């Protein structure tokens, strides 16, 4: 297929997936050499990940420039402060060194000697949070990414954290991370939600008290690194 035909097929796939909200979101696509660049703003994390997943079926070499539209604009400084507070107050990351870059200069927020829990380097530009450095486990990497996503004003998270020593990823690892994230969300009755993962597709089941809790559990799961789809069977108790 030509580049134009590929883009046409992808747009047709977007039309068939209601969670992409193709008529509400603003997604642009064009080829730069052999890479498909997909950019624009979308309402939520599910729309972003599904759009990338669908595009990747037709164009495996895809460059992600999709950003979330924040509920209200937040300056990078305020976003940075929120991310740092979340990182430093999270008990799981208490042994991590935290460094942040402000106008190209490094600022050490917390220094552990030695860096027994790893080190997280935080870069923020135009609402995009980039995490670099290394942590002790895949669960640490995924939790750090979700904490960044939760910060008000975050438009995207680029999670480049390495894991040392390396761990083999698996569906079980993803399920463990999703459970951890749901437990960390104070707005959710996490003990009432079950999680299972197959081929990076997460299925949620259980009972909650409000529709907002059902939606929140869905969004939290999408935020987890490498989750490619979420099937939400959570019921709302009447």
């Amino acid at each position: 297929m030509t580049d134009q035909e590929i883009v046409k097929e992808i747009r047709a796939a977007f039309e068939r997936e209601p969670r992409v909200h193709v008529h509400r979101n603003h997604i642009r696509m064009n080829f730069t050499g052999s890479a498909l660049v997909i950019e624009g703003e979308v309402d939520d994390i599910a729309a972003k990940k599904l759009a990338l997943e669908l595009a990747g079926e037709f164009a495996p070499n895809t460059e992600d420039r999709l950003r979330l539209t924040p509920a209200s604009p937040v300056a990078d400084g305020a976003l940075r402060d929120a991310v740092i507070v979340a990182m430093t107050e999270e008990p799981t990351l208490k042994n991590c060194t935290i460094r942040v870059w402000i106008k190209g200069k490094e600022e050490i927020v917390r220094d552990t000697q030695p860096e027994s829990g790893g080190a997280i380097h935080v870069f923020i530009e135009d609402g995009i949070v980039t995490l670099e450095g290394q942590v002790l486990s895949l669960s640490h990497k995924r939790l750090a990414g979700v904490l960044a996503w939760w910060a008000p004003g975050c438009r995207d998270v680029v999670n480049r954290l390495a894991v040392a020593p390396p761990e083999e990823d698996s569906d079980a690892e993803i399920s463990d991370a999703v459970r951890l994230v749901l437990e960390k969300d104070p707005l959710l009755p996490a003990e009432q939600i079950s999680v299972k993962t197959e081929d990076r597709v997460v299925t949620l089941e259980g009972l909650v008290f409000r529709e907002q809790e059902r939606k929140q559990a869905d969004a939290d799961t999408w935020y987890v690194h490498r989750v490619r789809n979420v099937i939400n069977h959570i019921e709302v108790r009447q």
Side-chain angles (χ1 to χ4, degrees):
M1 290 190 291
T2 66
D3 291 352
Q4 286 184 334
E5 289 171 335
I6 291 173
V7 169
K8 184 178 179 180
E9 289 291 336
I10 295 171
R11 290 203 175 279
F14 289 173
E15 291 275 2
R16 294 190 294 270
E17 174 50 72
R19 290 173 294 178
V20 173
H21 309 303
V22 69
H23 298 294
R24 193 168 73 219
N25 291 314
H26 305 284
I27 301 174
R28 301 181 298 277
M29 291 177 285
N30 64 279
F31 277 88
T32 302
S34 61
L36 173 69
V37 177
I38 181 167
E39 58 187 338
E41 289 200 344
V42 294
D43 292 339
D44 55 44
I45 184 66
K48 171 183 166 70
K49 281 195 169 183
L50 283 168
L52 293 169
E53 183 77 16
L54 292 169
E57 294 178 6
F58 297 91
N61 186 13
T62 300
E63 182 178 340
D64 172 20
R65 296 185 190 173
L66 284 176
R67 313 298 183 222
L68 268 60
T69 304
S72 58
V74 174
D76 282 350
L79 174 58
R80 184 184 303 113
D81 291 345
V83 171
I84 293 306
V85 167
M87 297 282 185
T88 54
E89 290 186 350
E90 170 50 50
T92 308
L93 304 176
K94 66 180 181 180
N95 293 324
C96 279
T97 290
I98 308 291
R99 296 186 175 98
V100 62
W101 266 253
I102 302 175
K103 296 181 179 179
K105 294 183 179 180
E106 178 190 51
E107 179 178 314
I108 299 176
V109 178
R110 181 172 65 202
D111 196 8
T112 58
Q113 297 293 340
E115 295 176 351
S116 56
I120 299 175
H121 305 170
V122 181
F123 305 82
I124 295 178
E125 184 176 0
D126 194 25
I128 303 167
V129 182
T130 300
L131 303 178
E132 297 185 352
Q134 68 179 38
V135 289
L136 298 179
S137 71
L138 285 166
S139 290
H140 285 76
K141 173 187 173 92
R142 288 186 162 110
L143 178 59
V146 173
L147 291 175
W149 272 117
W150 280 346
C154 178
R155 301 176 64 226
D156 199 6
V157 174
V158 181
N159 194 339
R160 295 176 181 158
L161 288 169
V163 176
E167 290 183 353
E168 184 175 352
D169 206 356
S170 65
D171 286 340
E173 286 285 346
I174 292 175
S175 289
D176 287 346
V178 172
R179 292 188 192 98
L180 176 61
V181 166
L182 297 181
E183 290 168 2
K184 293 292 181 181
D185 191 332
L187 302 178
L188 289 179
E191 70 282 356
Q192 297 173 200
I193 301 172
S194 67
V195 179
K196 61 181 179 181
T197 306
E198 184 174 350
D199 194 22
R200 297 192 293 119
V201 177
V202 179
T203 300
L204 303 175
E205 296 182 337
L207 290 171
V208 295
F209 300 102
R210 290 175 288 275
E211 177 63 21
Q212 182 55 40
E213 292 173 335
R214 181 181 184 277
K215 292 179 178 178
Q216 184 67 29
D218 192 270
D220 286 350
T221 303
W222 276 110
Y223 288 136
V224 174
H225 183 63
R226 295 199 74 233
V227 168
R228 70 182 185 89
N229 207 339
V230 179
I231 300 171
N232 191 343
H233 289 327
I234 296 173
E235 298 179 13
V236 180
R237 181 174 294 162
Q238 299 298 325

